[in-house]
Amino acid sequence: MNIIFTLIAAGTLIAAIAAMTLRNLIYCALSATAALGGLALLYFQLDAQFLGLAQILVYIGAVAILIVFAILLTRAADMPEPARFDVPALAGIGVALVVLATLVGALGSSPALRKNGNTIVRGDTAQSPVSMAVIKTPAPTATIAAIGNQMLSRYLVPFETIGLLLTAAMIGAVIIAMPSHRAKK
Amino acid sequence: MIEAFDQLFVLLKHWLVSFVPAALQPLASVVLSIVPILMVFPGLFAFMTIMERKGLGRIQNRLGPNRVGPYGLFQPIADGIKSLIKENIIPLAADKLLYTLAPILLLIPALLAFSVIPYGRNMTPIDIDGGVLFFFAVGAASEVSIFMAGWSSHNKYSILGAMRAIAQMVSYEVPLILSAIPVIMMTGTLSTTRIVDLQVPFYGVLPNWHVFTPWGLAGFFLFVISATAESNRSPFDLPEGESEIIAGYFVEYSGFKFALFFLAEYMGLFAVTGLAITLFLGGWGAPFSFLSFVPSYIWFFSKFVVFMLFFIWIRGTLPRLRMDQLMNFAWKFMVPMALINIMVTGLWRFMTPNIGRWVVSLAILVSAYVLLGRGLAQNSGVGKRVYRYGT
């Protein structure tokens, strides 16, 4: 395992653990944001540029703000609660362990992991003297054009279904948030 | 000879990198790409502050600062020294970690966004495949730090200003990205270098810029308005309105942290100006073919300075929008116009290149603008002024 992956993964794990264990709710939200940023860095390290940028744009740019808005508008960061370690907490830990086992099992038996093990073949920016003039990152194997093509040809139905789902969610949110006395106006 | 001037900085960088041992050359190359950005844009920031104060002064029928140097030109130096030697007050109830971290976390995305803009021929610091997407992603990442600034000050006005600022930035991000989509549709790439390369060739004498097409013009207007709103600049500066909420989310910041906020806000404005020039105004391309002997970076920075003066002009002229007017404008006017612009771009792409597609595109855009504008104005309840006298 190379050093960059270790550093990024350690940072993400520390941020995620902080998001679970900190007492102040706003700190938890910001640690969760940092964990999402760590995930984006992992995507970049794996040469999935589009995915990393989409992660930053969507998660840090929108979901994190949504979380902090939700916290502020409902709780306003009042007294931090003391730590609890009772039966519901133990049940939560049990459920989390079951989910972990499921995920590890699914990932361990996936065909991608069996095919080429740990080799991520990347271009070589550190040695050829020609490439020192402009930092030109190596063209990733899944270019944005290729992703777009696949989304509109092979994965068209999931793409359109997701669009429909998002539209329905937005309309539902607007209807829930609309003031109820609108008809009388 | 003209080539040498045009590629002056690129050749200079190659020459400097060749002095470094081969193992460290990528690092030296990266550093030499970054250092000019860190020198030029804060320098332009200093220039803009003095231009702004003088320009606003003249618009408001007064002189600007004129004490510090000849015609007040050393005022930014005085401002910098002032902000460094002011007392650094941290409120007692403020969250110290977040309070200190917020201006830094606001500046980092603003500076990151400069790295994908082509400043001249072969002069993009980082030339990635998804340059425009990178730009919007780091722009979106700066909103969390505004919230951090407002919340960590532990001050109701700060939190109020921060919420309003975030609401404004999130609302205007939608038309910003939607108005950049027609450019991506027509050029077929997200790479900023490639977008500029497609705009540089000429039709005879006239340039091929995107702003000279109907969809480009509409997209340009929408982009510039959204950019003004994204960087909290007048007439959209209610979150930091100097006369209402004093300074909104950075009211509790003093001294150098305030200067960092100020710098970060202007850096954001500069970055999105650079992107507007890249997407719509042909980047480093010359306006007429007989002027292409002028080096490419001169054209880029000339367009940049024109934009700076334009923003100063707008700030001095237009009154501030209220929060509800601002949000209505974003969601009810700009998002529909941006979506109609995307449809018009689709029509333009697939119609044959004759006068017909110009007529159709312009007709759709102008009628959409007029109908939306009239429709929204009728519902706003603003009518003829009624005078009531106290009888």
Side-chain angles (χ1 to χ4, degrees), chain B residues 125-148:
Chain B
I126 297 180
D127 187 12
I128 56 178
D129 207 17
V132 178
L133 188 59
F134 178 86
F135 186 93
F136 288 132
V138 299
S142 68
E143 297 166 9
V144 184
S145 51
I146 292 184
F147 163 73
M148 271 168 56

Side-chain angles (χ1 to χ4, degrees), chain A residues 24 26-27 30 49-50 53 56-57 60-61 64-65 68-69 72-73 77 125-126 132-137 143-144, chain B residues 13-14 17 25-26 29-30 95 98 122 127-130 133-134 136-137 140 143-144 147-148 151 163 166 190:
Chain A
N24 190 348
I26 301 282
Y27 278 165
L30 293 173
Q49 290 180 357
F50 178 70
L53 292 173
I56 296 179
L57 184 60
I60 301 183
I65 296 179
V68 297
F69 256 83
L72 271 186
L73 290 175
T125 50
M132 68 180 155
V134 163
I135 294 293
K136 178 117 178 68
T137 55
T143 58
I144 299 179
Chain B
K13 180 179 159 183
H14 285 202
V17 168
Q25 267 173 352
S29 169
V30 167
D95 205 334
L98 294 183
N122 300 334
D127 187 12
I128 56 178
D129 207 17
L133 188 59
F134 178 86
F136 288 132
E143 297 166 9
V144 184
F147 163 73
M148 271 168 56
W151 185 81
M163 305 259 262
I166 295 179
L190 279 173

Side-chain angles (χ1 to χ4, degrees), chain B residues 239-318:
Chain B
E240 56 172 71
E242 281 168 15
S243 42
E244 271 127 11
I245 198 172
I246 311 176
Y249 53 91
F250 44 85
V251 67
E252 293 283 351
Y253 284 86
S254 59
F256 199 63
K257 293 199 190 79
F258 180 81
L260 270 183
F261 267 115
F262 207 52
L263 177 71
E265 178 185 317
Y266 277 76
M267 289 294 115
L269 184 68
F270 288 170
V272 82
T273 304
L275 192 72
I277 295 176
T278 304
L279 291 178
F280 294 101
L281 286 180
W284 43 261
F288 297 110
S289 61
F290 49 84
L291 288 175
S292 28
F293 62 90
V294 180
S296 50
Y297 44 88
I298 302 271
W299 282 120
F300 182 85
F301 283 105
S302 312
K303 295 174 196 174
F304 197 85
V305 168
V306 167
F307 258 98
M308 278 164 52
L309 296 174
F310 171 74
F311 281 127
I312 294 172
W313 176 26
I314 293 279
R315 179 176 178 177
T317 314
L318 294 177

